Amino acid sequence: MAVPPSIYPRRLLPLFLGLFQGALLLFFALFVTYDEPSTQVEDTNLANQVYSTFPFFQDIQVMLVVGLGLLLTFLPRYGFSALTHNFLLLNFSMQWALVLQGLLHHFHHGHIHLDLHKLLISEFAAVTVLISVGAILGRASPCQLLVMATCEIPIYLASEWVIVTCLGVLDVGGTITIHIFSCYFGLGVSKALFRAAQQPLNPKETPTPSSDLMSLVGTLILWVFWPSFVAVLCRPGDAQHRAILNTLLAMSASAITTVVTSSLLERDGKLSPGHLQNGSLAGGVAIGVVADMAMPPVAALALGSLSAVVCVLGFRFLSPVLGRKLTLHDQCGIHNLHGLPGILGGAASVVAVLVASKDTSGSHPSQLSPVGGNASEVVEGQWGGRGAGGQALCQAAGLAVAAGASLLAGLLTGAALRLPCLARPPERLCFDDSLYFKMQDQAESPGPDSSAEEGALALKE
């Protein structure tokens, strides 16, 4: 006997999350513990690490929970869902990444020793999911998003290991390993999930002034805290200081250039809120891979300006073409904010490596190890013995691996998300909080569009 359609979708989400959290509790009880410093010197070193890292960690928390969550509220009737699903995916993905990284890199003598650095790296893994989801925002159910996160995290960890450990790519701000990977993974999921069908414009997709204002507030929060995201894995000292300065310069230039470009593209000179929400952040995406490298300040300004131009032009010209020719659905424009500036940053890293080899200052990039090992391990100096040409080739190879592997994995994941049991919402119920939340107006005036019927329609679709 079939399960009533109005009940089954409501039971799937708590069942999935309940089983996951229960399994995690058992795993932590058996295998996870904290480090116990045995001497006063070790205790002092740990305290210094906490005091130097935790402020950056808190900044990143504000970015992901508040800034990114508000950025996604540009859909006027999907604000509750955007904020809540972003928050849910962050916590789910972070815990899932913590387990996988512990088993792969930190499982010694039957235990995983937890510290702040491991938690930070797990949050970086969760960022990839939050970015990728932007491609299908509003058109996927919470269960589909959780399955997507379950698949993406191990693929990201494998990709990062190949790019950073095997190829030796320098990418302190995650331009290649995070932004490029998550962008093309999300686009692959979108293409496979919606196949070749042209998605009609839903009236609920049109932003309102109030929803655009909330999204712009999210942009401002992300803009303020972005230097912490880029610099947190840098080796404290000159490299971290240089990364912060370069990021601030690049993002300042991208903010101004976004206003210039958006105004020039309109005949009446008015600004597009969508351009401001995304173009202002493009400099932070592009600068991440070269932030701690030896380069003049003008290079950071130029890269920030160029990334903003590429982002705005992508929204204006490239996205419509991809939608028509490739039937590619990209709800949040992640290709314009993360993909195009990420490719630009990857190309800039090739140039920066070649130029830095001729620099007599002797300044080379250095960063804390993001995969395996602990925070004291660093990758630094003389490009690991490969020479400038070899390192430049590795940077280009890392860019290709991140884009190619993520796109293929995204296509496979998107195909899996088409399973009927994951309750994908029908088109007319997309972009609406009432499908997942008990809204006040529904409680006061229940009618034919009540949540029970919406749940049934979602399952039938």
Side-chain angles (χ1 to χ4, degrees):
M1 182 175 179
V3 178
S6 62
I7 296 177
Y8 183 73
R10 287 165 172 71
R11 297 293 179 262
L12 186 59
L13 180 62
L15 178 64
F16 186 101
L17 289 175
L19 290 175
F20 169 79
Q21 198 64 64
L24 203 74
L25 285 170
L26 180 61
F27 179 84
F28 268 61
L30 295 176
F31 302 111
V32 180
T33 185
Y34 292 117
D35 284 324
E36 297 182 1
S38 57
T39 66
Q40 186 176 0
V41 175
E42 291 179 359
D43 190 46
T44 302
N45 292 336
L46 181 60
N48 292 334
Q49 178 188 340
V50 171
Y51 294 144
S52 63
T53 304
F54 190 67
F56 289 105
F57 182 82
Q58 285 290 78
D59 290 350
I60 295 171
Q61 289 279 81
V62 175
M63 284 180 64
L64 302 182
V65 176
V66 184
L68 184 56
L70 290 176
L71 180 64
L72 300 178
T73 60
F74 64 94
L75 298 171
R77 298 183 61 181
Y78 202 71
F80 283 102
S81 301
L83 279 167
T84 305
H85 294 164
N86 179 76
F87 185 53
L88 174 63
L89 287 170
L90 171 63
N91 287 280
F92 176 86
S93 303
M94 181 187 67
Q95 293 185 44
W96 180 224
L98 202 59
V99 169
L100 293 180
Q101 287 207 77
L103 291 174
L104 292 174
H105 303 296
H106 310 297
F107 194 77
H108 303 294
H109 306 294
H111 284 91
I112 298 170
H113 293 272
L114 190 62
D115 60 26
L116 185 59
H117 180 73
K118 296 181 180 69
L119 196 63
L120 174 65
I121 299 305
S122 298
E123 285 228 330
F124 270 62
V127 172
T128 62
V129 176
L130 304 184
I131 295 173
S132 298
V133 163
I136 58 175
L137 184 71
R139 280 195 162 99
S141 69
C143 291
Q144 286 179 308
L145 299 180
L146 290 173
V147 171
M148 177 178 171
T150 304
C151 297
E152 183 171 1
I153 291 297
I155 297 169
Y156 162 75
L157 294 177
S159 170
E160 184 193 43
W161 180 78
V162 171
I163 293 171
V164 176
T165 304
C166 298
L167 295 178
V169 172
L170 298 170
D171 184 19
V172 68
T175 298
I176 295 174
T177 55
I178 294 178
H179 295 285
I180 290 290
F181 175 89
S182 56
C183 169
Y184 290 100
F185 186 92
L187 295 180
V189 169
S190 177
K191 181 63 178 176
L193 180 59
F194 305 120
R195 292 186 178 174
Q198 182 72 41
Q199 297 298 318
L201 182 65
N202 192 311
K204 302 171 190 175
E205 290 184 74
T206 305
T208 63
S210 58
S211 66
D212 267 334
L213 180 60
M214 290 295 291
S215 183
L216 186 57
V217 171
T219 295
L220 298 179
I221 293 173
L222 288 169
W223 192 95
V224 169
F225 291 109
W226 203 288
S228 295
F229 182 84
V230 173
V232 65
L233 289 181
C234 287
R235 189 178 184 182
D238 181 60
Q240 196 168 66
H241 180 239
R242 187 165 55 243
I244 292 172
L245 293 178
N246 284 333
T247 304
L248 287 170
L249 290 174
M251 298 198 70
S252 180
S254 66
I256 293 177
T257 306
T258 297
V259 173
V260 174
T261 309
S262 180
S263 180
L264 290 177
L265 289 176
E266 299 295 335
R267 292 183 178 180
D268 54 7
K270 294 183 178 180
L271 303 177
S272 167
H275 294 167
L276 292 176
Q277 293 157 7
N278 294 274
S280 303
L281 304 174
V285 174
I287 196 67
V289 68
V290 296
D292 62 338
M293 293 186 183
M295 61 181 188
V298 67
L301 287 171
L303 186 58
S305 296
L306 189 56
S307 62
V309 172
V310 168
C311 178
V312 173
L313 292 179
F315 272 101
R316 182 63 184 271
F317 301 108
L318 184 59
S319 290
V321 172
L322 294 178
R324 290 194 309 267
K325 302 297 184 180
L326 301 180
T327 61
L328 184 62
H329 176 76
D330 183 7
Q331 186 63 48
C332 294
I334 62 173
H335 187 238
N336 304 315
L337 175 55
H338 302 278
L340 297 178
I343 293 174
L344 180 64
S349 72
V350 174
V351 177
V353 166
L354 295 175
V355 172
S357 65
K358 303 175 183 179
D359 186 11
T360 58
S361 65
S363 180
H364 296 277
S366 62
Q367 65 188 77
L368 302 181
S369 174
V371 182
N374 54 49
S376 64
E377 296 174 346
V378 295
V379 179
E380 65 175 348
Q382 303 302 325
W383 325 117
R386 283 183 295 268
Q391 183 61 42
L393 185 61
C394 288
Q395 296 294 122
L399 183 64
V401 169
S406 61
L407 184 60
L408 177 60
L411 290 170
L412 296 176
T413 302
L417 296 186
R418 296 183 62 85
L419 291 173
C421 64
L422 298 179
R424 174 184 159 192
E427 182 61 29
R428 77 181 189 86
L429 295 179
C430 290
F431 312 111
D432 201 324
D433 287 324
S434 62
L435 185 57
Y436 307 110
F437 287 85
K438 184 177 181 179
M439 310 302 291
Q440 187 64 31
D441 57 347
Q442 287 181 337
E444 294 174 352
S445 57
D449 292 330
S450 63
S451 58
E453 183 176 346
E454 288 170 341
L457 289 171
L459 186 63
K460 288 178 182 178
E461 179 70 13

